[in-house]
Amino acid sequence: MAQYSGQTELGAVPNGQMSTTDAQISVVCGPLLNFKNMAVTPSSSLWYGSVLIVTKPGQRQPQLLLRQIGPVGGNAPLTDDQSARQPVAFDGLRLYEDPQKAFWRFSIVVPLESYEARWQYDIPGFQYADTDEVLAPWSFVVPSMNQSMRLMFHSCNGFSVGTDMNAWLGPNLWNDVMRVHAQKPFHAMIGGGDQIYNDGIRVDGPLKEWTSISNPHKRRAHNFDNSLRARCDDYYYANYIRWYSTEPFKTANARIPQINIWDDHDIIDGFGSYTDHFMRCAVFRGIGGVAFKYYCLFQHHIAPPKSTFTTDAPQTMQAINGTAGADPRQLENTFVLENQPEDDSWIVGKTPGPYVEERSRNLYMRLGKRIAFIGVDARTERTRHQVNYPETYDLIFSRLEREVAAANGDVKHLVVLLGVPIAYPRLAWLENILSSPMIAPIRLLNKRFGFAGGLFNQFDGQVDLLDDLDDHYTARQHKKERRIFIQRLQDFAMANSIRVTILGGDVHLAAVGRFYSNPKLGVQSENDPRFIVNIVSSAITNKPPPKAVANLLARRNKIHHMDPNTDETLMAFFDKQPGGIEKSASWNKVTMPSRNYACITEVDTPLMNGGAATGDPPLPIPKDGHSPLHKGEAEAGSTHSAADGVTSNSSMHGGLDVAIRVEIDPKNTEGAAEGYGFSIPPLIYVAQQNQSRPSSRHAHSLRAHSLRPSSARSAADRPHTAVH
């Protein structure tokens, strides 16, 4: 096995350091396993990842030993070459250390083989500081050179303040994740935001006193001095340690490589979506910096900024090159790793966010042979009126075009991760009510007498639900940004014949939204670059909304016209109640208010019939999206072959199988779940143009409208203001 940077042969002593193979490492939290990226060439592929441990301070440099233990499946015996391989040692790199803790990262790299392989790692001397528990060694699975990654997607992995913990017993659904993983391993788990809930900082944490200030002007003017910063720092750190040490989430972190973006609860509920003058107050800017510090360490395994914002250190109050200036008080007896190259998976924004003194960190990764991935940081730049800066979208699409061009046609699917759904029912009427003048008298009664206290948040005095609605891409102030983003994805799909699929969470229920060509254009889904599925999976841990809310959303599931050529609506998907337990109305087939997560697997059966997705004739084009748009939707539901998260739909050659696993009973500690499946066809757009099919005239019309960049479309091509 070749040697790579940062690793040594077992028993060697790196850089003159003492060997740690016999020294005890006092561990506070971990290991946490991350996927970083892949390097793919015609002759070889390398998998890059990292492992993080949090230790007591003053530890010797730890090492990680890694070795392959053979093909996945257990039936194939190790070859002589595999048996002879020795473990490889990777040195720990210290990212951060202060008088309470130290963070160590092991940057690991493995070559992909002609088979799906299991790798085992151990950290000699690993010992939890507060328990005799022994978990080592750990293992994870990487795909073969010709395989795309099998993905698990989740979001909202925590509990909102005030959740009845007698009714919602812990993160039980992770038990089902690990059961499915044992049958057919996941190569990565994608966190769509809210991997942790830090909202308690205002209820039983250091912001409790600040939150109780009744005068909004005094609350906005409150200082965020170094003392308050230190207490908030302690809170965020302790909350991460508690949650990332909670089973069975803890086990999943050590065995399934993570890919994460953050959302508001990783900071505090509603961060970024309150009124601008309030979001710019010192306390919000301060906790944004502290949350970013631990987001970097725990969720991305990178060194944090040297200092974060405080009002009593002027040098930290303005971002310098995208981060705060150094405050010597925050660096006292503290080590922060500096001058490290950025991960090549990052797409770093050009301008710091308005409320977090940092630049956004978006992601590009190659998820195996045929899947590319974009993760959009939809929190760092967020305000009530924007999700991301326009130049950030430009950076994302520029990187995407370069990577796809370099892939020489290998990429067939693009998975886009967003913090919130983008194909989702509108609640504009509710937004209008909650932001209308009729709310003002109720707000006054609330301020004077506490009337309707549950309706208003304690931060800016606005209606509590309004910040959630403002977060959605379908909110009225985000409609233009949303439309342009989707149109650019459609243009990309057409130009490259790549199927785009979007992941989104946040809303605490499961659904499947779709964009698609207006049926009047006569384009089959298999040939339609406008056909983009939005898999909505949330929450894996937090409680779902009441049945009435899910049913209300289902009633609002109208056919929307995003532009003259693109329609959208939710898919009828949930053909039965999970385990026979009523979660929503029997007529509601489109929203499922129960804890859930998603499994995504490429159907890697070779393409047949000259590139056609299936040998069967396509479904007739329906009159609208309330009906199935293609065969993979016609079979959708609990009886679909992919519903168990393991079995493949062999007829959808080159497509994606999707299962949404839904919790049956939150009091079942084993996390028993019901599965619902469907398939997404590959995009056969270029091949379709070259064939004399009846719909070719529609493809020509489609190309004329969509291939040009959205900004270059004529006025006649652009949607009317009445279209929404």
Side-chain angles (χ1 to χ4, degrees), residues 520-550:
K520 294 180 180 179
L521 295 175
V523 184
Q524 297 286 351
S525 296
E526 293 86 345
N527 312 126
D528 183 7
R530 292 195 183 95
F531 179 70
I532 298 176
V533 171
N534 184 186
I535 302 167
V536 181
S537 182
S538 168
I540 192 170
T541 296
N542 205 355
K543 65 179 181 180
K547 296 176 186 178
V549 172

Coordinates of all heavy atoms in Angstrom, one line a residue, residues 520-550:
K520 N -47.8 20.7 -21.0 CA -48.1 21.1 -22.3 C -46.9 21.0 -23.3 O -47.1 21.0 -24.5 CB -48.7 22.5 -22.3 CG -50.0 22.7 -21.6 CD -50.5 24.1 -21.6 CE -51.9 24.2 -20.9 NZ -52.3 25.6 -20.8
L521 N -45.7 21.0 -22.7 CA -44.5 20.9 -23.5 C -44.3 19.5 -24.0 O -43.5 19.2 -24.9 CB -43.3 21.4 -22.8 CG -43.3 22.9 -22.4 CD1 -42.1 23.2 -21.5 CD2 -43.3 23.7 -23.7
G522 N -45.0 18.5 -23.4 CA -44.9 17.1 -23.9 C -43.6 16.5 -23.6 O -43.1 15.6 -24.5
V523 N -42.9 16.8 -22.5 CA -41.5 16.2 -22.3 C -41.6 15.1 -21.2 O -42.1 15.4 -20.1 CB -40.5 17.3 -21.8 CG1 -39.1 16.7 -21.7 CG2 -40.5 18.5 -22.8
Q524 N -41.1 13.9 -21.6 CA -41.0 12.9 -20.6 C -40.0 13.2 -19.5 O -39.0 13.8 -19.7 CB -40.6 11.5 -21.3 CG -41.6 11.0 -22.3 CD -42.9 10.4 -21.6 OE1 -42.9 10.3 -20.4 NE2 -43.9 10.1 -22.4
S525 N -40.3 12.8 -18.3 CA -39.4 13.0 -17.1 C -38.0 12.5 -17.4 O -37.0 13.2 -17.1 CB -39.9 12.4 -15.9 OG -41.1 12.9 -15.5
E526 N -37.8 11.4 -18.1 CA -36.5 10.8 -18.4 C -35.7 11.7 -19.3 O -34.5 11.7 -19.3 CB -36.7 9.4 -19.1 CG -37.2 8.4 -18.1 CD -38.8 8.3 -18.1 OE1 -39.4 9.3 -18.6 OE2 -39.3 7.3 -17.7
N527 N -36.4 12.6 -20.0 CA -35.7 13.5 -21.0 C -35.8 14.9 -20.6 O -35.5 15.8 -21.4 CB -36.3 13.3 -22.4 CG -36.4 11.9 -22.8 OD1 -37.5 11.4 -23.2 ND2 -35.3 11.1 -22.7
D528 N -36.2 15.2 -19.3 CA -36.6 16.5 -18.9 C -35.6 17.1 -17.9 O -35.5 16.7 -16.8 CB -38.0 16.5 -18.2 CG -38.5 17.9 -17.8 OD1 -37.9 18.9 -18.1 OD2 -39.6 17.9 -17.1
P529 N -34.7 18.1 -18.4 CA -33.8 18.7 -17.4 C -34.4 19.6 -16.4 O -33.8 20.0 -15.4 CB -32.8 19.4 -18.4 CG -33.6 19.7 -19.6 CD -34.6 18.6 -19.7
R530 N -35.7 19.9 -16.6 CA -36.4 20.7 -15.6 C -36.9 19.8 -14.5 O -37.3 20.3 -13.4 CB -37.6 21.4 -16.2 CG -37.2 22.6 -17.2 CD -38.4 23.5 -17.5 NE -38.0 24.5 -18.4 CZ -38.2 24.4 -19.7 NH1 -38.8 23.3 -20.2 NH2 -37.9 25.3 -20.5
F531 N -36.9 18.5 -14.7 CA -37.4 17.6 -13.6 C -36.3 17.5 -12.5 O -35.3 16.8 -12.7 CB -37.7 16.2 -14.2 CG -38.2 15.2 -13.2 CD1 -39.4 15.3 -12.6 CD2 -37.4 14.2 -12.8 CE1 -39.9 14.4 -11.7 CE2 -37.8 13.3 -11.9 CZ -39.1 13.4 -11.3
I532 N -36.6 18.1 -11.4 CA -35.7 18.1 -10.3 C -36.5 17.7 -9.0 O -37.5 18.4 -8.7 CB -35.1 19.5 -10.1 CG1 -34.2 19.9 -11.3 CG2 -34.2 19.5 -8.8 CD1 -33.6 21.3 -11.2
V533 N -36.1 16.7 -8.3 CA -36.8 16.2 -7.1 C -36.2 16.9 -5.9 O -35.0 17.0 -5.8 CB -36.7 14.7 -7.0 CG1 -37.3 14.2 -5.7 CG2 -37.5 14.0 -8.1
N534 N -37.0 17.3 -5.0 CA -36.6 17.9 -3.7 C -37.0 16.9 -2.6 O -38.2 16.8 -2.3 CB -37.3 19.2 -3.5 CG -36.8 19.9 -2.2 OD1 -37.3 20.9 -1.8 ND2 -35.8 19.3 -1.5
I535 N -36.1 16.1 -2.1 CA -36.3 15.1 -1.1 C -36.3 15.9 0.3 O -35.3 16.5 0.7 CB -35.3 14.0 -1.0 CG1 -35.2 13.3 -2.3 CG2 -35.5 13.1 0.1 CD1 -33.9 12.4 -2.5
V536 N -37.5 16.0 0.9 CA -37.6 16.7 2.2 C -37.7 15.7 3.3 O -38.6 14.9 3.4 CB -38.9 17.5 2.2 CG1 -39.1 18.3 3.5 CG2 -38.9 18.5 1.0
S537 N -36.6 15.7 4.1 CA -36.5 14.7 5.2 C -36.1 15.4 6.5 O -35.0 16.0 6.6 CB -35.5 13.6 4.8 OG -35.4 12.6 5.9
S538 N -37.0 15.4 7.4 CA -36.9 16.1 8.7 C -38.0 15.8 9.6 O -39.1 15.6 9.1 CB -36.8 17.6 8.4 OG -36.9 18.4 9.5
A539 N -37.9 15.6 10.9 CA -36.6 15.6 11.6 C -36.3 14.2 12.0 O -37.1 13.3 12.2 CB -36.8 16.4 12.9
I540 N -35.0 13.9 12.1 CA -34.6 12.6 12.6 C -34.7 12.4 14.1 O -34.8 11.3 14.6 CB -33.1 12.2 12.1 CG1 -32.9 10.7 12.3 CG2 -32.1 13.1 12.8 CD1 -31.6 10.2 11.7
T541 N -34.7 13.6 14.8 CA -34.8 13.5 16.3 C -35.9 14.4 16.8 O -36.6 14.0 17.7 CB -33.5 13.9 16.9 OG1 -32.5 12.9 16.5 CG2 -33.5 13.9 18.4
N542 N -36.0 15.6 16.3 CA -37.0 16.6 16.9 C -38.4 16.1 16.7 O -38.7 15.3 15.8 CB -36.8 18.0 16.3 CG -37.2 19.1 17.2 OD1 -37.8 18.9 18.3 ND2 -37.0 20.3 16.8
K543 N -39.3 16.6 17.5 CA -40.7 16.2 17.4 C -41.3 16.8 16.1 O -41.0 17.9 15.6 CB -41.5 16.7 18.6 CG -41.6 18.2 18.7 CD -42.4 18.6 19.9 CE -42.6 20.1 20.1 NZ -43.3 20.5 21.2
P544 N -42.3 16.1 15.5 CA -42.9 16.6 14.3 C -44.0 17.7 14.6 O -44.4 17.8 15.8 CB -43.5 15.4 13.7 CG -43.8 14.5 14.8 CD -42.7 14.8 15.8
P545 N -44.5 18.4 13.6 CA -45.6 19.3 13.9 C -46.9 18.5 14.1 O -47.0 17.3 13.8 CB -45.7 20.1 12.6 CG -45.2 19.2 11.5 CD -44.1 18.4 12.2
P546 N -47.9 19.2 14.7 CA -49.2 18.5 14.9 C -49.8 18.1 13.5 O -49.5 18.6 12.5 CB -50.1 19.6 15.5 CG -49.1 20.6 16.1 CD -47.9 20.6 15.2
K547 N -50.7 17.1 13.6 CA -51.4 16.6 12.5 C -52.0 17.7 11.7 O -52.0 17.7 10.4 CB -52.4 15.6 12.9 CG -51.9 14.3 13.5 CD -53.1 13.4 14.0 CE -52.6 12.2 14.8 NZ -53.8 11.4 15.2
A548 N -52.6 18.6 12.4 CA -53.4 19.7 11.7 C -52.4 20.5 10.8 O -52.9 21.0 9.7 CB -54.0 20.6 12.7
V549 N -51.2 20.7 11.2 CA -50.3 21.5 10.4 C -49.9 20.7 9.1 O -49.9 21.2 8.0 CB -49.0 21.8 11.2 CG1 -47.9 22.4 10.3 CG2 -49.4 22.8 12.3
A550 N -49.6 19.4 9.3 CA -49.3 18.6 8.1 C -50.5 18.5 7.1 O -50.3 18.6 5.9 CB -48.9 17.2 8.6

